[in-house]
Amino acid sequence: MSARRLALLLIVVVGCGDDSVDGSGGTTGDSGLETSGSTDADGPSVDLPPRASERSCRFEGNPPGLLPQLRFEPAFEGLQLEAPVAVTSAPGRPDTLWVAERDGRILSIDRVTEEVRSVVELELEAQTTLEAIAFPPDFVDSGHVFVRTHRAANPPVTRISRLALDELDAWVPDETMMVLGVPFAPGARAGGAMLFDAAGMLIVALGDGGAGDDLPMGAQDPSSRHGSILRIDPAPLDATGAYGIPADNPRADDPAGATAEAWAWGVRDPKQCSVDRLAGDLWCADVGELEQEVGRVPAGGNLGWPILDGRRCRTTAAQCDGLATVIPYATYGQDAGDCEVVGGVVYRGSSFPELQGAYLYADRCSGRVRGLRLRADGTVEHDEVLGGIDGTPVAFGEDPDGELFLVDGDSGALLRVALTDVDKEFPVRLSASGCFDELASLAPAPDLVPFEVNAPLWSDGTLKYRHFVLPPGEIIAVLDEGLLAFPVGTYLLKTFVLEQVVGDPESRIPLETRVMIQREHGWEFHSYRWDDDGSDATLLARGDEAFVTIQETAGSRELHYVFPDRFACRTCHGSAPSHALGPRIDQLDRRVDTSEGHYDQLEQLDAIGMFDRAPPAVKAIASPSDAAASLEQRARAYLHGNCGHCHRPGGWVPPDLHMDLRWGLPLEETRTCGVPPQYFNPWADGSARIAAGDPDDSLIWQRIDQRGPGQMPPLGTTHADPGADVVREWIASLAGCD
């Protein structure tokens, strides 16, 4: 990358000397800062310019390389549904869509006229609900339809029955046949999925039989129907009155009875499964204890419950390490309003090529709809929030053409899945975003508001220029403890700039601009790589790297700079209570010095109408390089800024790793000082997380001080931070852990 001069208006941090945020205003030329009239020894106080009334900076449309954003359109106007639980199609009936309702009604809908063609009203016992319906491959000839019901009491039981419909799709009660009955305890997790696979075998997914916090181990036993996914052959029913065992079941020859029925096991509460109509793969969604999970289910697969909950180990590390399990493709926790996964469908329709091969799934509580797509090698390429509904998703279904529907349990509506922002083009080149009036100097557009943070994340010595972009008239909600909630349509921009000759501002070159976008149902992450000549930047579809020579006083060295992919961004930003990690009141509470003067950042952000209320009085996080702060404050600030977003309750660490590195906690509550390592660590051998007085025997320092396997932070940096010595000095100064 060639050196070139960036004519930047540098925001020089005089007060604290934190060079990692030097230049974070990122403005040039006329900054728009106004002199207020008051002065002091460090120059006049200045004001931020008023917020722009119009939006210049725009990242709209569906980004290339990502799954598209979705909208959900009401289907079948005038259709009145009561507690729908499933929508599906039947082989050989391209003109019909079928809907099941919890009270036992099955409706057939003419896809052309969009009118209800027939209604079957099952005679259900008291406290019994209809859970699922499935049509066998021979439906046109046999008229058979399989139904799954669950009786909640006297005693509880899940039943699979076969019904017969006549040529008018009317129920023939005399031909109803009970296929399978599985007893459960009152209130137990029973599952809910039932479907036919590509070979015409019936799949029945059963819950583990536990209730509340119960952890029955039967899910790890293939001979127990509880916690298993059964696969049976219904073809022999008419001849023998009993179903058969498919010859290709993984334990078809096992003499232990129910074991032969098992296709997979180790599930907790599998509500819905589906079959990819192109690949033939079985996909299931399992409602976990703390982790919701989705993935393909192979023959003989052990999905891990109750030893694993999603990817989380619930028992001992030794037991989890020795467990041969099928790791889910995607998991998410019960936070931000999420509570229970709703299993989906792999899109194989023709209307939206951008969705081809994506598995869509949702959450009952938040209404968010996510999309997951695999690469050819079976690894995850995308797993993103694509949209959502205000109601309660209860089921996905597909019509005969492979187009998708989502069932809203609140309104009873069937919603067609469609794309949003199809008429807008997402900027592939940064110049097309309108975020900079002049790219050559990084002069920001009027709606970019600069900000700095006290304790930034180490990023291999790059300077960072940070900006808020809010929709005109929108404001940031100030939450408890000084966390911030950004309105939909917010952008957070951060441009990384590097001095190729250390200490020479004229050698600065831009490397990367990262963009976080607050969509209606979650954050989206993008990275733009700057051209070698610094004239523009290009959107990256995946991670990348660059090698830049840096000239220092002692000589030259090569910086290996890593551009993260979108998943790497979500690793950290997706786990914290606020997905925007830097902007929080205690981080923003600082004085900002510019070439024109200085200002109180919080005061000025509030003055231009950025917040919904005056920022609360909280203790500002120290800058790790502020010599005026105590050594402990500086070290704790460093650990917060670089580690505390993951090492905290609910962070991106194993749930039983009880180490909390957030700023402001008393040392004893961090569970670090004098606490031995919890897991065997092949990269470090400290006797304690923090060994008072001995940084070289402290696991935390050992991992901060190294790069490569076992480094901390694990992502986003290839060179150790010289500023991290503040942590070493603090540990060395500790006389004890009291």
Side-chain angles (χ1 to χ4, degrees), residues 132-134 136 145-148 160-162 179 194 196 202 234 237:
I133 59 173
V145 55
F146 288 72
V147 301
R148 175 172 177 155
I160 308 300
S161 303
R162 193 188 73 181
V179 178
M194 182 188 68
F196 279 90
L202 186 64
L237 285 171

Side-chain angles (χ1 to χ4, degrees), residues 342-692:
V342 176
V345 177
V346 176
Y347 179 75
R348 294 300 182 185
S350 59
S351 297
F352 311 116
E354 304 93 330
L355 271 182
Q356 188 60 220
Y359 175 80
L360 303 187
Y361 62 107
D363 186 87
R364 287 182 62 91
C365 291
S366 69
R368 294 185 184 93
V369 175
R370 294 168 164 87
L372 182 153
R373 186 157 58 193
L374 304 179
R375 300 184 181 93
D377 63 1
T379 59
V380 175
E381 181 179 23
H382 300 296
D383 180 25
E384 301 139 18
V385 175
L386 305 182
I389 65 173
D390 292 332
T392 300
V394 295
F396 281 90
E398 56 185 334
D399 69 15
D401 298 324
E403 304 301 332
L404 300 188
F405 291 86
L406 179 60
V407 180
D408 180 0
D410 286 352
S411 67
L414 297 184
L415 305 173
R416 285 192 177 93
V417 177
L419 307 190
T420 187
D421 283 345
V422 294
D423 59 339
K424 299 173 182 176
E425 186 173 350
F426 193 89
V428 175
R429 298 281 277 176
L430 191 59
S431 56
S433 70
C435 298
F436 296 95
D437 286 344
E438 182 185 340
L439 275 181
S441 60
L442 290 181
D447 52 346
L448 269 67
V449 178
F451 72 94
E452 298 180 3
V453 297
N454 287 317
L457 181 73
W458 164 250
S459 300
D460 285 344
T462 55
L463 311 178
K464 303 174 190 177
Y465 300 75
R466 302 175 177 88
H467 294 91
F468 297 116
V469 185
L470 301 187
E474 298 288 343
I475 53 179
I476 302 169
V478 180
L479 307 179
D480 294 339
E481 299 181 2
L483 296 178
L484 303 177
F486 295 89
V488 173
T490 294
Y491 310 144
L492 299 180
L493 275 67
K494 183 161 60 175
T495 297
F496 296 74
V497 173
L498 183 69
E499 284 186 353
Q500 289 187 289
V501 178
V502 175
D504 180 7
E506 294 195 6
S507 71
R508 292 177 178 176
I509 57 172
L511 295 175
E512 177 187 11
T513 294
R514 295 179 191 168
V515 183
M516 287 179 60
I517 303 174
Q518 174 68 87
R519 300 288 193 183
E520 185 174 359
H521 295 280
W523 286 94
E524 189 175 279
F525 306 93
H526 301 281
S527 173
Y528 288 81
R529 175 173 179 163
W530 282 80
D531 299 341
D532 288 347
D533 62 3
S535 61
D536 207 341
T538 302
L539 179 68
L540 295 177
R542 55 186 60 86
D544 204 348
E545 61 182 0
F547 295 89
V548 186
T549 300
I550 299 176
Q551 193 67 40
E552 300 175 321
T553 303
S556 63
R557 66 178 176 89
E558 188 174 61
L559 170 67
H560 177 202
Y561 185 82
V562 175
F563 299 85
D565 62 24
R566 292 163 174 133
F567 288 107
C569 293
R570 288 219 316 270
T571 297
C572 294
H573 287 280
S575 62
S578 175
H579 297 285
L581 301 177
R584 39 184 283 166
I585 295 301
D586 52 6
Q587 283 273 36
L588 297 173
D589 188 2
R590 61 180 286 125
R591 167 175 157 153
V592 173
D593 291 273
T594 79
S595 61
E596 299 180 13
H598 62 82
Y599 60 89
D600 181 286
Q601 180 167 255
L602 270 185
E603 180 181 279
Q604 282 297 302
L605 291 175
D606 188 37
I608 64 173
M610 295 289 284
F611 303 126
D612 67 344
R613 62 185 176 100
V618 298
K619 184 175 181 178
I621 293 178
S623 167
S625 59
D626 182 6
S630 72
L631 182 59
E632 179 179 9
Q633 288 178 329
R634 294 164 58 201
R636 293 291 304 279
Y638 186 93
L639 292 173
H640 175 99
N642 287 271
C643 314
H645 47 277
C646 288
H647 288 281
R648 61 183 301 143
W652 189 68
V653 291
D656 58 343
L657 181 56
H658 300 305
M659 179 167 63
D660 193 342
L661 296 179
R662 288 177 295 169
W663 161 266
L665 287 178
L667 180 59
E668 60 270 18
E669 293 184 21
T670 65
R671 293 182 289 274
T672 56
C673 193
V675 177
Q678 191 166 344
Y679 302 126
F680 167 73
N681 197 312
W683 306 291
D685 57 1
S687 66
R689 290 168 174 169
I690 290 178

Side-chain angles (χ1 to χ4, degrees), residues 140-373:
V140 171
D141 296 325
S142 69
H144 292 155
V145 55
F146 288 72
V147 301
R148 175 172 177 155
T149 60
H150 183 73
R151 188 177 66 199
N154 301 321
V157 62
T158 285
R159 290 195 179 105
I160 308 300
S161 303
R162 193 188 73 181
L163 310 182
L165 305 182
D166 63 19
E167 63 276 5
L168 299 178
D169 295 334
W171 179 29
V172 184
D174 292 344
E175 296 186 23
T176 298
M177 176 182 291
M178 233 282 270
V179 178
L180 175 66
V182 181
F184 285 91
R189 295 181 287 270
M194 182 188 68
L195 68 157
F196 279 90
D197 68 10
M201 302 296 112
L202 186 64
I203 302 290
V204 179
L206 298 168
D208 68 352
D213 296 330
D214 293 345
L215 298 175
M217 289 301 295
Q220 283 295 305
D221 181 2
S223 67
S224 169
R225 285 172 169 161
H226 290 170
S228 292
I229 298 175
L230 311 184
R231 182 174 183 260
I232 62 177
D233 182 1
L237 285 171
D238 284 331
T240 66
Y243 55 81
I245 300 298
D248 58 345
N249 268 15
R251 300 196 174 203
D253 297 329
D254 197 305
T259 306
E261 302 168 356
W263 176 259
W265 45 92
V267 291
R268 181 178 182 270
D269 197 10
K271 300 287 191 182
Q272 291 183 325
C273 300
S274 65
V275 169
D276 181 343
R277 60 167 58 194
L278 179 62
D281 297 325
L282 175 66
W283 288 74
C284 286
D286 195 11
V287 178
E289 180 183 39
L290 298 175
E291 290 282 327
Q292 313 300 305
E293 66 177 85
V294 298
R296 290 191 297 199
V297 182
N302 180 355
L303 279 70
W305 177 260
I307 298 173
L308 296 178
D309 182 28
R311 296 189 179 101
R312 295 174 181 255
C313 180
R314 299 193 68 266
T315 57
T316 65
Q319 189 174 12
C320 291
D321 291 342
L323 186 65
T325 61
V326 177
I327 301 300
Y329 287 126
T331 65
Y332 66 91
Q334 296 181 7
D335 54 14
D338 292 324
C339 70
E340 180 180 313
V341 66
V342 176
V345 177
V346 176
Y347 179 75
R348 294 300 182 185
S350 59
S351 297
F352 311 116
E354 304 93 330
L355 271 182
Q356 188 60 220
Y359 175 80
L360 303 187
Y361 62 107
D363 186 87
R364 287 182 62 91
C365 291
S366 69
R368 294 185 184 93
V369 175
R370 294 168 164 87
L372 182 153
R373 186 157 58 193

